[in-house]
Amino acid sequence: MLYLCSPQLKNAMAQPIKRTVLDYDDIRQMVPWFDGKPRLVSFLSRMLAIDKVNWIHDHNCDTPGVPFVQGLLNDLEITIKVRGQEVLDNLPQGAFITVSNHPFGALDGIMLIKLIGEHRDDFKVMVNMILNYISAMRPNFIAVDALQSDDPAKRAVSMRGIAQAMTHVREGHPLGFFPAGAVSKFTHDLHIEDRQWQPSVIRLIQKLKVPVIPIYFHGHNSITFTILGMIDWRLRTLKLPSEVFRRKGDTFRISVGQPILPETLAQHPTTDELGTFLKQQTYAMKQWD
């Protein structure tokens, strides 16, 4: 059942939407070396598929929030197969949390908003500040600095984001976490998997004491993308737009687990124990029968 548009969503939608995700001004502010080099920025935008990202955002940004996400997936001709649809059809009333692995870095967040948001339009996902450039998705975003930067301004954004997340849940709204805080990477045995889930996220879950729904996204980005991440996270980030468009026309599989009740969460009293438990519950859905 679709919820009526919440006051929080109406307020977010009232904020002005920038039609592009990254333009010349954004890029030269991020990397001052590009100042005065608009032709080079234009060339790189085409090479890295940033121009395609700008087009698809512009095409759908007049309907921000969940409708934007659906329009984006339609433009990408992406199909989603869900195991555990009955959980989505019977989501808990009031507040709950979702925890998910993070194999794609962008598409998983987009698909998560579709999965939960089409049932609860007050659903928000905690994301890093790079994804927050997608302004048409801000109605469903809470931005933090996943890199825990020493920049006071970025730290202030993170502190506000954490406070906003706690208020959001305590007021009875659902919230999504990617507890790894970054896209999946190679393990020591050359599997692609999330790094350790961040203790800061697990502590938030402990404090909030609401049901937790594990969600597993099957698949991963290209090997090239993952190798770039081993060299420098910035190279991986630059590759992200082309990774999205590489998957045009694909079918994605998503497994949704049963809600884990607060009483069960309390049986894992330490942050390490709870983080390990929640990650195990999520990865237990890895096999697709």
Side-chain angles (χ1 to χ4, degrees), residues 1-10 12-13 64-67 91 113-114 116-124 139-141 168 173-174:
M1 170 177 158
L2 283 172
Y3 279 59
L4 295 176
C5 189
S6 65
Q8 284 187 326
L9 183 61
K10 288 179 179 177
M13 292 174 68
V66 177
L91 291 172
I113 289 172
K114 171 188 163 47
I116 307 297
E118 64 184 7
H119 297 271
R120 293 284 299 269
D121 73 353
D122 55 340
F123 178 63
K124 289 182 180 286
N140 298 97
F141 277 172
H168 184 74
H173 305 290

Side-chain angles (χ1 to χ4, degrees), residues 8 13 28 48 56 143 152 192 216 231 240 244 254 274 286:
Q8 284 187 326
M13 292 174 68
R28 70 185 179 89
L48 298 171
I56 204 169
I192 298 176
Y216 184 83
I231 299 170
L240 195 54
V244 171
I254 305 172
L274 183 57
K286 185 174 182 179

